[in-house]
Every structure is written in structure tokens, then in C-alpha cells.
Amino acid sequence: MTLLRSGSATDTGLVRSVNQDLAVETGTLFAVADGMGGHAGGEVAARLAVDTLTVAFGSKPSGAGLSEAVNEANRVVHEHSLDNPELRGMGTTMTAAALVNEDGRDVIALVNVGDSRSYRYHEGELTQITVDHSLAEEMVRSGEISESEAAVHPHRHILTRALGVADDVTVDLWRIQPTRGDRFLLCSDGLTNELGSEQIAEVLATVPDPQVAADLLVRAARTHGGSDNITVVVVDVVLDDEPDDGAPIGGEVPAVAAVAADFRTAADEPEPPPVAAGPDDVEVLPGPEPLRPKFRDRWRARRKARRAARGRRLVTFRTLLFVVLLGAIVFGAYYAVRWYDTNAYYVQVNDNELMIFHGRVGGGVLYKPVEVERTGVTTADIPAYAVPGLVTGIQEDSLKAAQAYVAGLVATQHQAVCAQNPFAPACTATGTGLPPVGTTTSTTRAP
Ligand code: MN
């Protein structure tokens, strides 16, 4: 039995005003769609595509079913764009991974259309499984430009294949044997445009929780520029098909050297690079809680080697990670203190009048109290015993509580006066003898 654990995160980034990316994260199906097209077209395309994919895959949960589900999503998006002129030309990328059982064996089926990517992190190595369907990638394949030139090429965003732009689309499909400890990363180009694969691998190597890893990757891409929507799904294989004695269940395990099955126009499509995965990859882990120690040891060794090989670049990214994490902590602390400062009111005597302030007595750390109400109540209207406390300030939780406190003092004083002298002018009329608690507001800073 194969067991997966996942986490996902998405962010609009720092430049775009809307998020046209979508992530899918169910128990067995994971996907990232990066929509494109003006007038909400990108959002519509991505939404239609993932909804159709989810339903269609649900009715045929297999590798072929996943690929057909992408074709079905393509049809739905394309027809919708033909029926709605304002959405004409909309489209989306789609990279998806699903746990399927084929011939009694668990397999990760992986599909792709467009330039969102799927990676496999296996034994400390990050390998890109999908092939970008972009002009730049085709130029790399034809030898016109190098991989590093492609990363900054002006045509890197021009897609040669997308979902929904034509009535038919070719879907790349891979089948990969899930191995305990493997991590699959699905992401939109908003991640890979900002972070290099070394940086992505660094996060995957050091952050065991998939949700935390997804969050951190998105935050790192934001910090690195965030010029596009960023979406990440991290899927961990926490349990695989192999029994503890290392013998595969149900006999022989066929080598899953990445079956690249192109549908429809398979002939004119380039072959995606093979992903090594087979019986050799099966590692049997001792003990009931083997995953973390094994991971840690492996990471340590790999990281040591890579650090030695690369020198200072790693330090730079580690510093970035540190800054991002520290930033999050400082932000959190700032808002906690500010919340403490602003989530309070107090009553204080100012020029013989009782005033209500927003903030903390004596001023908060980050928030200077603001006068919010002149009550119109003077020290003569309240019991004398309350005055010293009010000179310092009486803290209350809310404006209502502060007002109630003032009204209470006034009522107490009123009762005391009338008990002594029932014929005083304020005591003869019923119920109207109380001076009103004022409603004047102002935003003057406290003295
Ligand atoms: Mn994008």
C-alpha cells in the first residue's frame, strides 16, 4: 500500500493583481494549473480545467484515465471559450500527479501540458520530470540556446502547448514507481522563474513537513521577486508498496523507466527525458520510524558534498531562508504587540473632563493612544474616590466597557447626591438627572 502526504500553497505574488493559478490537493490527485487570458479568462480556464480534471479522473482513476481527463479538461475549456467571446483565447497549463493502481501495483501517474512543472526529489536529488512546452525549451532541445540562456530568454513564457486553446491537445504522461521518502513537487512557473533548482532542493531537503515546505517555497519565491503568481504542491510518499523484506508485492516490479506515452499526435512530439526508477531504487528501511533518520542522514551527506562543490551560493540562499523566516517571526510579533496595544480603551481625566482613549494607559509600544470620546462628564459628576485612579487612567477592554464605567460612576454619584438631598434639582425629575455621556469624537493624539 502506498500512502501519500501533501501540502500546498499559492500566492498572487508582488506584481500581478489577481491569482490565476490553482492548486488541486486531494488524497490521490494533485495538480497545478496556471491560467492565462485577460478579462478573467485565466481564472475561468484554470477553474474549469481543474474541476473537469478532478471529476473525469475520479470516474477513471488510472494513468490513461488521468491523461484522458486532461483531454476532457481541454475540450471543456476550449468549448467554453468558443461560447463566450470575452473569454476567447483563454487557456491554462496543467501538471498533475495521481496515485493509481495498475495491474495490482501502485504507480504515480504524471501528466503535463504547458510550462508548469513536476519534479521528483529522490535520494537527495531533484529531477525535473516534465518538459516545458515553451519556445525557449524547444530552442534548448534544438541546441540553439543553453539551459541557462533559456532561464532568462525573452521567449521563455511563450507556450507551444496549452490546455483550452485548441480543440485537441497532446498530453505527456509518465509512470513512476513511488518509493518511500520520495517527494513530488508540482509548481507553476512563478516558482521556477524566481528560484533555481538548487534552492528548491535545499528547501525540500531541509523541511520535512510538506505543508511547511510548500509555504516556504512560495514565500521564498515572493522574496526573490514574486513577479508572477506562485503555486506549489508538495507530495510525500510516506509508505510504499514494498514489504519490509524488500521483496516486491505481487512478484516482479517492472522497471518504470518513465513511460512517455503521447496521446493523439505522439509521432511529432519530442520524447521526454527518462526518469530512472526501478527495483534499484527500492530501499528497505529498518525500524518503525525510519523515514526521518534516513532522510536526515542522506541529506546531511548530500548537502555536505554539494556545499563543498558549490561554495558560497548555498550560504546566500540559506541567508535568504533565514531572513524570510526571521521576517515572518518579526511580522508576527509586531502584529501581536500592535493587537495588544490597540485592543483596549481607557478612561482618563483631562482638563477636569473624563475622556475615553483608544489604546493602553501610558501609551503602547507601537500605538500611541488616540482620544475617541469626550464624555462631557467632569470630576464633579463622579464620586471623589474614583478621581485619583482616573488621573492615571482606567483600562477597559472595549469602548462600550469604558462608556459603561463612566456611566456607572455618574449613576453612583447621582444616587449619593440624591440620598443626601432628595430635593436637589437633579433628583426631582425622574431618570433625566444624569449628565449625558458625550458622543463627541476626535482623533487628537493623547497628550
Ligand atoms: Mn505563471
Side-chain angles (χ1 to χ4, degrees):
M1 181 177 117
T2 304
L3 206 65
L4 306 177
R5 202 159 70 100
S6 64
S8 67
T10 186
D11 192 272
T12 307
L14 301 170
V15 175
R16 303 291 173 91
S17 56
V18 289
N19 192 346
Q20 301 188 318
D21 282 4
L22 270 183
V24 175
E25 193 192 352
T26 71
T28 53
L29 176 66
F30 311 90
V32 166
D34 178 351
M36 59 202 78
H39 294 102
E43 288 151 283
V44 173
R47 171 53 65 192
L48 278 175
V50 300
D51 286 354
T52 307
L53 178 89
T54 308
V55 172
F57 172 73
S59 68
K60 192 179 175 188
S62 66
L66 182 64
S67 186
E68 285 164 29
V70 177
N71 275 296
E72 177 62 19
N74 178 71
R75 269 190 294 280
V76 170
V77 174
H78 186 59
E79 275 162 25
H80 198 83
S81 83
L82 294 180
D83 293 345
N84 299 274
E86 76 279 8
L87 300 175
R88 199 60 60 82
M90 71 175 174
T92 181
T93 71
M94 175 69 77
T95 190
L99 177 64
V100 296
N101 194 280
E102 295 185 337
D103 307 322
R105 201 166 53 83
D106 285 338
V107 167
I108 298 287
L110 223 145
V111 287
N112 185 54
V113 172
D115 69 348
S116 294
R117 291 177 179 176
S118 289
Y119 291 83
R120 180 195 193 201
Y121 184 78
H122 174 77
E123 307 253 330
E125 294 293 336
L126 186 68
T127 311
Q128 184 183 337
I129 297 164
T130 55
V131 180
D132 294 353
H133 300 133
S134 68
L135 214 53
E137 179 61 30
E138 289 196 355
M139 290 166 84
V140 172
R141 299 187 137 247
S142 67
E144 276 177 74
I145 57 172
S146 72
E147 199 78 59
S148 53
E149 284 169 325
V152 293
H153 198 274
H155 289 167
R156 70 185 183 278
H157 301 300
I158 299 177
L159 297 189
T160 52
R161 244 195 265 178
L163 197 149
V165 296
D167 57 5
D168 202 5
V169 73
T170 305
V171 181
D172 292 346
L173 168 69
W174 293 262
R175 286 182 173 86
I176 298 160
Q177 180 189 321
T179 305
R180 176 158 51 171
D182 277 3
R183 315 190 87 174
F184 290 90
L185 168 74
L186 282 60
C187 62
S188 61
D189 64 335
L191 181 80
T192 47
N193 285 336
E194 309 295 354
L195 302 183
S197 54
E198 289 291 332
Q199 297 168 326
I200 293 170
E202 185 68 22
V203 173
L204 293 176
T206 49
V207 183
D209 183 90
Q211 182 58 53
V212 177
D215 286 334
L216 195 57
L217 283 168
V218 166
R219 216 177 296 158
R222 254 180 81 96
T223 311
H224 250 228
S227 60
D228 191 6
N229 305 149
I230 311 148
T231 301
V232 169
V233 179
V234 176
V235 184
D236 288 352
V237 180
V238 293
L239 209 67
D240 64 22
D241 245 353
E242 308 305 321
D244 280 349
D245 61 2
I249 291 172
E252 188 198 343
V253 178
V256 193
V259 185
D262 269 348
F263 284 66
R264 286 159 218 277
T265 60
D268 35 58
E269 289 300 325
E271 283 248 27
V275 174
D280 290 352
D281 290 319
V282 178
E283 228 175 279
V284 182
L285 312 167
E289 229 288 84
L291 187 59
R292 292 203 174 165
K294 180 195 170 193
F295 253 48
R296 216 177 291 137
D297 292 348
R298 202 192 295 157
W299 290 335
R300 277 201 191 122
R302 299 261 176 184
R303 263 163 54 202
K304 221 173 169 180
R306 271 182 292 147
R307 197 176 301 168
R310 258 188 342 217
R312 279 191 56 79
R313 263 179 57 214
L314 181 60
V315 175
T316 312
F317 186 64
R318 305 204 115 219
T319 311
L320 170 74
L321 270 188
F322 176 76
V323 168
V324 167
L325 282 173
L326 190 71
I329 292 164
V330 169
F331 242 68
Y334 172 83
Y335 279 106
V337 170
R338 203 182 148 83
W339 180 87
Y340 174 81
D341 282 353
T342 57
N343 197 38
Y345 290 81
Y346 65 91
V347 187
Q348 197 174 44
V349 172
N350 189 8
D351 257 352
N352 218 38
E353 184 183 355
L354 273 63
M355 313 274 249
I356 298 175
F357 294 91
H358 182 215
R360 296 270 161 194
V361 173
V365 180
L366 298 168
Y367 183 79
K368 210 162 182 302
V370 171
E371 177 194 314
V372 290
E373 187 170 312
R374 307 174 69 101
T375 62
V377 175
T378 67
T379 47
D381 303 323
I382 60 170
Y385 66 78
V387 175
L390 281 164
V391 169
T392 314
I394 298 295
Q395 196 75 58
E396 294 287 348
D397 288 339
S398 65
L399 180 58
K400 260 211 171 101
Q403 287 168 337
Y405 173 74
V406 173
L409 289 179
V410 170
T412 308
Q413 176 69 352
H414 184 252
Q415 271 177 1
V417 168
C418 295
Q420 273 184 3
N421 182 6
F423 304 106
C427 307
T428 46
T430 48
T432 55
L434 305 182
V437 173
T439 51
T440 332
T441 58
S442 89
T443 52
T444 348
R445 290 281 168 190

